[in-house]
Amino acid sequence: MKLTHKPLLIAAMGVALNASAGVINDIPSCYQANNLANPSPAPALELFVAIDQTTPLDDNLKRQVIEIIGAQMKPGSAYSLFTFSAYSQGNYLNMLSRGELEKNLPATVRDDTGNKTLSQFDACMAGQQRYAGQLLGKHLQRALGNSSDSFVKSDVLASLKEISGRIAQSGAKNRVLLLVSDMLENSSVSSFYAKRTVRKLDPTAELAKAEREKLLGNFAGTRVYVIGAGMIIEDKKQIKGVYRDPITMQSLETFWRSYFEKSGANWQNSVSRHCLTLSAKVAPLVDVENEKREPCSLLCIQARQI
């Protein structure tokens, strides 16, 4: 998703927010601007992006995250962008932006619409796509740029529960959560750390803690993808002696798999156990036009498809 400074063709878009049904939409509506009824207002796909600000990424991973998200933004899709870190440090779950990209007019409706209106609508839709790319790109750069290892705590579980409540409000047929996080809880509930690295978890005991503290979510079939699970700041600093054995990493994956299954998410096995190079062209998570599920790998350091 590339930011540009080209003028946007959104002069006809008079409404900055669509407050219908109390839904936030930072992208102006071309249907409203041209006094047209939207025959299918609900998005086919809503992508929820949650960025853990306790997980700093290098420039390569940041670029890959932006590419993955940008590939999903097509007509008929929506996005919600959040940041989170530690509740105890005042860094609560924060929605940076939400927007919807409208579907084009169906052919039957176009046939009954005047040429002038069609011309204005088409120009508006082209501008809408560019505006969405600029807006989301700006907020993504801000979110990824503010990640830091200076946060002492990380409330991943509490944040996920709150995120699941936001997801439940979505009217999209397909809902996807992309988590950019090390997935390492470090709160009053539990800590997944020990001696500068990830400790070997007892998944059953950790899940019991989450249930006891009422921190399970309700994801209602949402598909969840994770980028950065198990990554710690020592990886970036390349500190010697920091080792995470496969059993430790398996216990982390087992816990989160169990957590999301208990929380009603749609879990799938990883496409690959290894960290593969993300290609420049990323396949969509969902083919919005045909509403078919496509195989998609979100692959980077310790990435897992959940």
Side-chain angles (χ1 to χ4, degrees):
M1 190 173 303
K2 184 178 180 181
L3 291 176
T4 68
H5 297 286
K6 296 180 180 179
L8 298 177
L9 298 178
I10 58 171
M13 303 164 72
V15 182
L17 293 175
N18 176 13
S20 62
V23 176
I24 296 172
N25 185 7
D26 294 337
I27 301 174
S29 168
C30 290
Y31 282 90
Q32 290 185 20
N34 290 279
N35 296 315
L36 294 170
N38 190 339
S40 54
L45 164 72
E46 182 154 5
L47 176 64
F48 295 84
V49 181
I51 297 176
D52 182 352
Q53 299 209 286
T54 70
T55 308
L57 305 181
D58 61 27
D59 290 341
N60 184 51
L61 281 179
K62 289 178 183 179
R63 176 186 59 78
Q64 291 184 4
V65 169
I66 291 174
E67 286 180 353
I68 289 167
I69 295 169
Q72 317 312 317
M73 293 299 98
K74 294 184 175 183
S77 64
Y79 72 86
S80 292
L81 176 62
F82 302 92
T83 58
F84 69 94
S85 57
Y87 279 24
S88 61
Q89 294 171 279
N91 294 280
Y92 306 105
L93 182 71
N94 181 30
M95 176 183 279
L96 298 183
S97 180
R98 183 187 181 278
E100 297 181 9
L101 287 168
E102 295 167 318
K103 294 180 181 178
N104 287 310
L105 277 171
T108 53
V109 178
R110 293 184 69 89
D111 292 342
D112 295 330
T113 305
N115 289 335
K116 182 178 179 181
T117 300
L118 280 178
S119 178
Q120 292 175 343
F121 178 82
D122 291 342
C124 183
M125 289 291 283
Q128 184 183 79
Q129 186 80 31
R130 290 195 297 273
Y131 178 74
Q134 288 184 318
L135 183 66
L136 182 53
K138 178 184 73 173
H139 286 296
L140 277 171
Q141 289 181 354
R142 173 186 165 192
L144 294 169
N146 288 339
S147 296
S148 170
D149 62 332
S150 63
F151 297 100
V152 178
K153 298 294 184 180
S154 181
D155 287 279
V156 180
L157 288 165
S159 297
L160 286 174
K161 180 179 180 179
E162 188 172 350
I163 289 169
S164 74
R166 306 289 185 96
I167 292 175
Q169 299 172 19
S170 173
K173 182 177 180 180
N174 294 292
R175 290 169 290 183
V176 175
L177 172 60
L178 173 60
L179 280 167
V180 182
S181 173
D182 57 18
M183 305 303 287
L184 299 177
E185 179 79 7
N186 188 21
S187 68
S188 59
V189 176
S190 185
S191 176
F192 293 0
Y193 290 94
K195 296 180 180 179
R196 298 187 308 172
T197 190
V198 185
R199 71 177 175 87
K200 182 180 176 181
L201 303 179
D202 179 340
T204 302
E206 295 300 330
L207 187 61
K209 292 179 187 177
E211 291 182 288
R212 185 173 62 248
E213 299 296 329
K214 301 186 183 332
L215 290 176
L216 294 182
N218 181 13
F219 289 93
T222 300
R223 285 179 296 143
V224 182
Y225 297 80
V226 178
I227 290 179
M231 187 172 67
I232 55 178
I233 195 62
E234 280 76 5
D235 293 322
K236 189 173 181 181
K237 294 179 180 178
Q238 296 182 335
I239 294 177
K240 294 181 179 180
V242 176
Y243 172 71
R244 288 162 298 166
D245 65 274
I247 296 177
T248 297
M249 298 312 298
Q250 182 63 50
S251 71
L252 179 67
E253 182 182 0
T254 299
F255 166 73
W256 284 114
R257 181 179 68 240
S258 300
Y259 171 86
F260 281 115
E261 286 178 341
K262 277 274 191 177
S263 297
N266 186 352
W267 183 87
Q268 299 173 345
N269 289 327
S270 300
V271 175
S272 172
R273 291 284 178 181
H274 304 288
C275 178
L276 303 181
T277 302
L278 184 70
S279 63
K281 294 183 179 179
V282 184
L285 300 176
V286 173
D287 182 339
V288 175
E289 296 297 326
N290 300 314
E291 295 187 352
K292 295 189 302 182
R293 295 181 181 243
E294 300 288 345
C296 177
S297 308
L298 304 183
L299 304 168
C300 64
I301 296 178
Q302 299 298 334
R304 292 289 184 267
Q305 178 180 337
I306 298 178

